[in-house]
Every structure is written in structure tokens, then in C-alpha cells.
């Protein structure tokens, strides 16, 4: 009882301080949740209270994304240019504007989808696979060009034993080819996650947004302005975690954030289910696994399979496409060599990358609050859970944390997803 009274008193002090001088838009947003939390029915559980609070706040209240994140790519942009744009702005995806759309087009006709590094990886991996032996026709000009690049590279489907075959030849042939330079973003539309994409209106609730980012595995949610027929904001999993970090000290956050990871069922993915790649496997094998398993990053482990030595993200494919010295120096690009080469490249160019600069780990004894603070300060998408000996025990992603903040009421979405076609593979909706 004494500890609860102390927590409540601390929350009141934080509340008063924030009212006098809110430290950020996210903190002010947390105060809205706090005010709603205080008037909820006492018989509700903490999770039910949070659901009710977030359902009462429109998504328009979420702070706008930095201008660097609301980047649009034109459909006639070359794939090489798109990779450069995503890399330079340090973003994972961007909406694609149809250059042929009329000026008075609605937002759903103005965009053709959202291109992601994941989609680009899918496209690249298609180039590394030989054409089907059952094919009896030469195919389109695009397919012919694909086959030409693949033949120049000199390899087919990769396996764990193919490290020596994963040479720089493929990347040199691909990135120097007119085919790669001239392929337009619209040409790889089949690799898009959403077409055009699932978006929220400003009047939709926070709860809807949080459920899309967790239960429905969306890494970002565009918010559209129907009047302007354009994207008004893009809310990412990372921005939600940052909002939570800014709410530290508030009663509603502390009542949830002080719990141990094990108390809220984290990690969801334990050691036996973590998708991983061994350090001597080809780096393309890592990207293939990410595509096949639909995950954004995987750990690189040593020969024991339980010691994590690095992390590789779907976004790291940019280094194979924008830094030719990597495959010049490392002709056989294993996962281990790739990490070494990228770290050398970043050091040489005085750049940093949370994806390859080092492993970020935690233990099951961490509190939710501690983990959120670590994720936010390190600007990373996932943390690996290890035991006292440093052995891998699981992985926790941003999505996992958000999924423990709210729950989906029965029948909540109704016909919300009607008309969103085509849907992503393996979607729940």
C-alpha cells in the first residue's frame, strides 16, 4: 500500500511539472492519457483502462513526423535512385506517387503503394534465382534482362554451403547494369507491402493505430488528409516507443512499465524459434531468410548457434547497393565478412548505424520501462534477450511491446479492411 501511495504521489508531482512545462509533444499527449486514466471506471482492469483511453484520443493528436520521414517517391524514379533516397533519409519505406494520376485524384488513386527496403530485397533476390526450367517462352524484356544479370553473376539458389559462390560479381553486375539503373519503382510494384496501402483518417483512434502496428504487423501507418488527398503524417513503431519513453513518470505508464518482462509474457519469440544465420553463411542467405520468414532483422550467431555476434537488418542491403568497396574488399560476402566490411565503411565515412554498430541485449529481469528507454535511446527495432552467460534466449521487437500495451476487443475492426486489395501475404485480415 505504501509503495502504491508513493507511486501515486510521484505521478502527481510529474503531472504538476508537465502541466507547467511539458517537455515534448509526446509528453503532452501522455498527459491526455493520464487525464482520461483518472476518470475511468474503477472496476476496469489496467489494460481495459488503457484501451478506453486510447480509443478516446484521435490519431490526429499524434505529433507530426519529422519532415525527413514524410518522403514521397515518384513512380518513375529509378530503383537505384530510390535506394539512395531511402538511405540518405534513413527511412525504411516511402509512399510512391503515381506520376500519371490526374491532379484531382483521390488519395487512393494518387498513390500506387509503399516501397520498402523489404520489397527491394525481394526484387534483388528474384534476380539471384534462375528462371524456372518449366518456362518455355523467353518472357518479357524485363525477365530477359533479369536472366542476363543472373547469368553474368554466375550463381543460382543459395544454401548454407554456398558462401564461396556469394561473390561480389553479382552485386557488381547488378549495380553497374543499365537494367538496375533503368528499372523504375513502379516496375517492382509486386514487391510492395500495400497497394496502394492501408491508411488511417485523422478521426480514427489511437487504439486503431496501435493495433495496426502490433497485431497487424504494420511497421508504419500513414494518416491521410482526405481534403488534400495526401499523406498528412506517418506514424511508425519507433515513434510510438518514443512517445512511451516520454511518458515515464506518469501513473498510467508506471503501473505498466514497472513490470518485469516475464510478467507481461516477453519475449514472445524464444531461442528455439528465433530465425538466425550463422556467421559463415552467405549474407544473401540472411536476406533470403528475412524474406521467407517475413521478419525485419535476424541475429548472426557463431558455430554454437547460441552466441550472438551481430545483427543484420533488411535495410542493410543498402550497403551492398551503395558501397561498392564492400564487395571489392570481400569477394566472398559471408555474414561475418559483411559485418566487418560495413563497420569499416562506417568508420571510414564517420557514420553510425544501430543495425551493425553492435549488439544490444537485455535480460528477462529488465522492466518494460527499462527496455523502452533502451530501445528509444539506441534508436533500434529489437533487443536480444540473453542469459547471464550471454547465450541467446529470445528476441523482443517494438511490435511485441506495443502488443502488450493494448488488446483488440472482439469484432473491433468490423468492415474496416473491406476494399483494401491486394492484401499482404499471410495477413490476418
Amino acid at each position: 500500500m505504501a509503495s502504491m501511495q508513493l507511486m501515486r504521489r510521484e505521478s502527481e508531482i510529474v503531472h504538476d511539472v508537465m502541466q507547467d512545462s511539458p517537455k515534448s509533444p509526446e509528453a503532452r499527449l501522455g498527459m491526455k492519457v493520464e487525464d482520461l486514466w483518472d476518470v475511468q471506471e474503477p472496476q476496469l482492469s489496467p489494460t481495459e483502462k488503457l484501451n478506453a483511453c486510447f480509443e478516446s484520443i484521435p490519431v490526429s493528436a499524434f505529433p507530426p513526423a519529422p519532415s525527413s520521414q514524410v518522403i514521397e517517391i515518384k513512380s518513375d524514379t529509378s530503383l537505384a535512385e530510390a535506394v539512395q533516397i531511402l538511405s540518405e533519409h534513413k527511412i525504411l519505406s516511402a509512399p510512391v506517387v503515381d506520376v500519371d494520376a490526374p491532379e484531382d485524384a483521390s488519395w487512393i488513386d494518387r498513390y500506387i503503394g509503399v516501397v520498402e527496403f523489404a520489397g527491394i530485397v525481394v526484387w534483388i533476390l528474384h534476380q539471384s534465382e534462375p528462371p524456372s526450367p518449366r518456362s518455355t517462352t523467353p518472357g518479357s524484356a524485363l525477365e530477359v534482362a533479369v536472366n542476363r544479370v543472373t547469368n553474368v553473376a554466375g550463381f543460382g539458389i543459395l544454401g548454407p554451403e554456398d558462401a564461396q559462390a556469394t561473390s561480389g560479381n553479382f552485386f557488381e553486375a547488378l549495380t553497374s547494369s543499365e537494367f538496375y539503373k533503368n528499372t523504375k519503382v513502379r516496375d517492382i510494384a509486386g514487391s510492395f507491402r500495400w497497394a496502394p496501402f492501408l491508411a488511417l483518417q485523422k478521426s480514427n483512434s489511437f487504439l486503431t493505430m496501435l493495433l495496426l502496428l502490433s497485431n497487424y504487423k504494420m511497421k508504419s501507418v500513414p494518416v491521410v488528409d482526405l481534403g488534400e488527398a495526401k499523406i498528412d503524417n506517418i506514424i511508425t513503431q519507433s515513434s510510438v516507443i518514443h512517445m512511451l519513453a516520454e511518458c515515464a513518470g506518469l501513473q498510467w505508464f508506471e503501473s505498466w512499465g514497472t513490470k518485469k518482462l516475464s510478467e507481461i509474457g516477453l519475449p514472445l519469440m524464444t531461442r528455439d524459434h528465433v530465425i538466425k544465420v550463422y556467421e559463415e553463411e552467405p549474407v544473401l542467405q540472411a536476406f533470403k531468410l528475412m524474406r521467407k520468414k517475413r521478419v525485419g532483422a535476424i541475429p548472426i550467431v557463431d558455430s554454437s548457434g547460441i552466441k550472438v555476434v551481430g545483427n543484420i537488418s533488411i535495410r542493410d542491403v543498402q550497403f551492398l547497393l551503395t558501397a561498392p568497396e564492400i564487395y571489392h574488399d570481400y569477394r566472398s560476402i559471408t555474414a561475418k565478412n559483411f559485418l566487418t566490411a560495413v563497420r569499416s565503411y562506417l568508420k571510414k565515412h564517420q557514420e553510425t548505424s544501430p543495425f551493425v554498430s553492435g549488439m544490444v541485449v537485455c535480460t528477462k529481469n529488465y522492466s518494460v520501462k527499462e527496455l523502452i528507454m533502451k530501445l528509444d535511446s539506441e534508436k533500434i527495432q529489437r533487443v536480444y534477450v540473453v542469459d547471464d552467460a550471454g547465450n541467446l534466449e529470445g528476441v523482443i521487437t517494438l511490435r511485441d511491446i506495443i502488443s502488450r500495451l493494448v488488446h483488440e476487443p472482439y469484432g473491433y475492426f468490423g468492415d474496416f479492411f473491406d476494399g483494401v486489395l491486394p492484401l499482404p501475404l499471410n495477413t490476418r485480415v
Side-chain angles (χ1 to χ4, degrees), residues 146 161 210 245 312 377 379:
V146 168
E161 70 283 355
L210 292 172
I312 189 166
S377 64
K379 306 302 179 188

Side-chain angles (χ1 to χ4, degrees), residues 172-418:
E172 288 177 276
L174 177 65
T175 57
S176 64
S177 69
E178 292 302 311
F179 166 61
Y180 174 67
K181 295 175 183 177
N182 295 331
T183 298
K184 307 299 183 183
V185 170
R186 61 188 171 211
D187 296 332
I188 66 164
S191 301
F192 288 0
R193 180 179 173 88
W194 297 97
F197 48 78
L198 187 63
L200 291 178
Q201 298 179 29
K202 291 183 177 182
S203 59
N204 287 122
S205 74
F206 249 60
L207 181 59
T208 301
M209 175 265 290
L210 292 172
L211 291 173
L212 290 176
L213 290 175
S214 55
N215 291 6
Y216 293 89
K217 302 182 179 180
M218 294 181 67
K219 293 185 180 298
S220 61
V221 180
V223 181
V224 296
D225 184 325
L226 295 183
E228 296 292 330
K230 67 176 185 179
I231 293 174
D232 183 69
N233 196 6
I234 296 179
I235 302 175
T236 65
Q237 291 177 343
S238 297
S239 62
V240 170
I241 294 299
H242 177 64
M243 183 205 79
L244 293 175
E246 291 290 285
C247 295
L250 294 174
Q251 182 183 347
W252 69 267
F253 177 83
E254 296 294 332
S255 66
W256 173 69
T258 52
K259 294 179 180 179
K260 299 295 184 184
L261 297 178
S262 56
E263 291 183 70
I264 64 170
L266 294 178
L268 296 176
M269 187 175 291
T270 57
R271 177 197 298 174
D272 294 338
H273 297 94
V274 173
I275 310 302
K276 53 185 178 288
V277 65
Y278 289 89
E279 59 184 349
E280 295 305 325
E281 290 185 273
V283 69
L284 274 190
Q285 184 69 10
F287 292 122
K288 279 180 174 287
L289 285 172
M290 283 184 258
R291 179 188 70 166
K292 181 178 180 181
K293 301 296 182 180
R294 299 184 65 81
V295 295
I298 58 176
I300 299 173
V301 296
D302 65 7
S303 57
S304 71
I306 59 174
K307 292 284 188 182
V308 183
V309 298
N311 176 68
I312 189 166
S313 159
I314 201 85
R315 183 162 74 173
D316 292 334
V317 74
Q318 66 181 294
F319 295 110
L320 295 175
L321 299 174
T322 61
E325 58 262 50
I326 286 179
Y327 46 74
H328 289 161
D329 295 339
Y330 291 82
R331 305 300 298 176
S332 176
I333 310 179
T334 63
K336 180 180 179 180
N337 283 348
F338 175 75
L339 282 184
T340 301
V342 170
R343 286 168 180 160
S344 298
Y345 172 84
L346 292 172
K347 183 177 180 180
K348 177 181 177 182
H349 293 271
Q350 297 182 334
E351 298 179 21
T352 59
S353 171
F355 298 97
V356 296
S357 58
M359 290 302 303
V360 178
V361 299
C362 73
T363 67
K364 290 182 178 179
N365 291 326
Y366 266 55
S367 68
V368 180
K369 178 179 177 179
E370 288 174 319
L371 182 59
I372 286 174
M373 295 303 184
K374 180 181 283 286
L375 286 165
D376 185 49
S377 64
E378 299 283 351
K379 306 302 179 188
I380 52 176
Q381 307 286 315
R382 56 179 48 209
V383 166
Y384 294 103
V385 183
V386 298
D387 61 19
D388 293 337
N391 297 322
L392 181 65
E393 288 197 320
V395 61
I396 299 175
T397 66
L398 305 185
R399 182 178 72 84
D400 296 336
I401 296 174
I402 299 171
S403 72
R404 288 298 183 260
L405 180 66
V406 293
H407 71 275
E408 182 178 343
Y410 178 76
Y412 177 79
F413 279 101
D415 60 358
F416 179 85
F417 296 104
D418 288 358

